[in-house]
Amino acid sequence: MTKDERRLVSPWNIANVLTVIRLALVPFFVVCMFLPGTGWRLAALAVFAVASLTDHLDGELARRYGLVTDFGKIADPIADKALTGAALVCLSLLGELPWWVTIAILGRELGITLLRFWVIRHGVIPASFGGKVKTVLQIAAIVLYIVPGMPEPVRWTVMGAALAVTIGTGIDYVWRAVRLRRVAKRVRGE
């Protein structure tokens, strides 16, 4: 699809609608997390699961049917960070997840977002396989923390893997951004 064809795609397409729904579900998830009782915790799990599924589905639909828009490129990562960030902060506020884990993951996410803006004029760094693994591990770890009565060793094992991959892919992203800037400067003769 060319740039001109992409401009003709309406921002009001199914992929973007799913992204907006995911963003709109975040406050409902947060409310469910703080209401007492197992029923509300399971409701939070259901909201998180539905929102997480829209993350996969919106990207798949956008690529498959040529629904990629500038709005989607900006809104999708914001919705992703809002959902996982809200979940991690809720879990830490509830005393179920150490704050240092939340800070490490959110710090990496914020840092990579800022890094993307730093290199955007030089090019786009595509999502890596490691980034996709990171997302899956983060979602799985959060789900295990939301599920009532999940054994701590299971939670910690998956969260530890998510944290390790999150930090590792962050380092990889920094390395690729630095290389991209160097190549762009050489091409421009700077």
Side-chain angles (χ1 to χ4, degrees):
M1 176 176 276
T2 67
K3 273 188 176 177
D4 293 333
E5 289 171 324
R6 217 173 301 158
R7 286 189 199 129
L8 299 176
V9 174
S10 169
W12 292 105
N13 62 59
I14 188 65
N16 288 344
V17 168
L18 287 172
T19 298
V20 171
I21 288 171
R22 181 166 67 259
L23 197 53
L25 286 173
V26 172
F28 293 105
F29 166 76
V30 171
V31 168
C32 290
M33 283 293 289
F34 286 103
L35 292 173
T38 303
W40 286 111
R41 193 60 176 246
L42 293 174
L45 176 62
V47 172
F48 186 82
V50 167
S52 295
L53 288 173
T54 67
D55 179 28
H56 172 73
L57 190 56
D58 65 1
E60 183 67 29
L61 289 171
R63 286 184 296 277
R64 181 176 293 171
Y65 297 108
L67 301 175
V68 176
T69 63
D70 289 339
F71 173 80
K73 290 179 188 176
I74 294 167
D76 183 64
I78 290 171
D80 296 346
K81 306 298 184 270
L83 180 63
T84 57
L88 293 167
V89 169
C90 285
L91 290 166
S92 290
L93 285 171
L94 290 166
E96 298 175 31
L97 180 68
W99 275 105
W100 67 267
V101 174
T102 296
I103 291 167
I105 292 173
L106 294 183
R108 182 269 191 205
E109 300 298 345
L110 177 62
I112 295 307
T113 299
L114 294 174
L115 187 63
R116 285 182 178 173
F117 287 119
W118 182 59
V119 300
I120 193 82
R121 65 187 171 107
H122 303 293
V124 175
I125 300 171
S128 67
F129 177 73
K132 294 178 192 317
V133 171
K134 170 205 68 112
T135 300
V136 169
L137 284 172
Q138 284 180 0
I139 290 170
I142 290 167
V143 164
L144 292 174
Y145 271 85
I146 295 171
V147 171
M150 184 61 62
E152 282 301 311
V154 174
R155 288 176 169 174
W156 263 109
T157 300
V158 179
M159 185 59 79
L163 183 61
V165 173
T166 298
I167 300 302
T169 57
I171 292 167
D172 175 62
Y173 201 94
V174 169
W175 175 247
R176 291 190 297 151
V178 168
R179 279 192 325 209
L180 176 65
R181 276 186 57 91
R182 285 183 188 154
V183 168
K185 283 183 175 185
R186 269 189 296 219
V187 168
R188 287 194 319 257
E190 294 178 16

